[in-house]
């Protein structure tokens, strides 16, 4: 878990803020979750990636490039990929480029400002990204001035989502 970086914030329900700027996460692998980076918060999670390249990472089960979760009931979680951030050429069983799950009261995902999720591959679901809200509250997702292209879901048993796989998510 967490081939390039493993970050686990245990203070529920406190907010964990993570800002990654002008960074490269590449060439890492994990047998389970988060080939490039694993980020888990028992409280709320507010993560932003700006001008960052996540490329050529792999994981055995979920989140080839990035694996993130926020899981505090009554809190909110957000993931933003902005300002030219690229998630490219990562592989995994589910969520080739990234896997983001939020079981918080409210959650959001944003891809904007020239950010790109491209050329990633998953065997099961979500070649580019796998986004999952909670059973009771849907995640809000916005993709604007960004690119999701050339991603692939390769296995026959998966439900699909070559670019994006959305579960309990409202997208605009």
């Amino acid at each position: 878990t967490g081939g390039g970086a493993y970050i686990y914030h245990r203070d529920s329900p406190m907010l964990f803020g993570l800002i990654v700027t002008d960074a490269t996460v590449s060439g890492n692998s994990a047998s389970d979750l988060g080939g490039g980076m694993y980020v888990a918060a028992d409280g709320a999670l507010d993560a932003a990636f700006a001008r960052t390249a996540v490329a050529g990472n792999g994981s055995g089960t979920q989140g080839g490039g990035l694996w993130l979760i926020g899981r505090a009931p009554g809190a909110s979680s957000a993931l933003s990929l902005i300002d030219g951030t690229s998630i490219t050429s990562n592989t995994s069983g589910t969520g080739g480029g990234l896997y983001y799950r939020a079981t918080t009261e409210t959650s959001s995902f944003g891809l904007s400002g020239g950010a790109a999720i491209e050329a990633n591959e998953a065997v099961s679901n979500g070649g580019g990204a796998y986004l999952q809200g909670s059973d009771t509250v849907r995640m809000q997702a916005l993709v604007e001035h960004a690119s999701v292209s050339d991603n692939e879901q390769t296995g026959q048993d998966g439900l699909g989502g070559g670019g994006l796989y959305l579960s309990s998510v409202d997208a605009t």
Side-chain angles (χ1 to χ4, degrees):
T1 298
Y6 177 92
I7 302 168
Y8 186 13
H9 185 260
R10 295 178 187 254
D11 291 334
S12 179
M14 300 297 293
L15 171 66
F16 176 65
L18 173 69
I19 299 172
V20 180
T21 304
D22 299 317
T24 300
V25 179
S26 66
N28 302 290
S29 65
S31 61
D32 194 14
L33 309 172
M37 184 180 287
Y38 170 98
V39 180
D42 285 344
L45 172 67
D46 187 0
F49 291 80
R51 298 179 306 279
T52 295
V54 179
N57 301 288
S59 72
T61 59
Q62 298 174 341
L66 302 172
W67 187 93
L68 304 100
I69 188 168
R71 52 182 163 217
S76 63
S77 289
L79 171 60
S80 301
L81 305 176
I82 59 173
D83 294 340
T85 290
S86 62
I87 310 292
T88 58
S89 303
N90 301 286
T91 61
S92 185
T94 299
L98 71 95
Y99 180 99
Y100 171 50
R101 182 171 184 213
T103 58
T104 53
E105 184 68 28
T106 61
S107 60
S108 64
F109 171 78
L111 182 69
S112 63
I117 298 175
E118 298 175 333
N120 299 286
E121 184 178 297
V123 174
S124 181
N125 302 314
Y130 184 100
L131 307 175
Q132 183 177 2
S134 73
D135 293 337
T136 57
V137 179
R138 298 177 68 81
M139 179 186 295
Q140 301 300 309
L142 172 67
V143 176
E144 181 177 59
H145 306 293
S147 171
V148 177
S149 64
D150 299 321
N151 299 287
E152 187 175 5
Q153 180 264 324
T154 61
Q156 295 178 357
D157 295 333
L159 297 173
L164 300 174
Y165 181 89
L166 310 174
S167 177
S168 297
V169 175
D170 293 326
T172 54

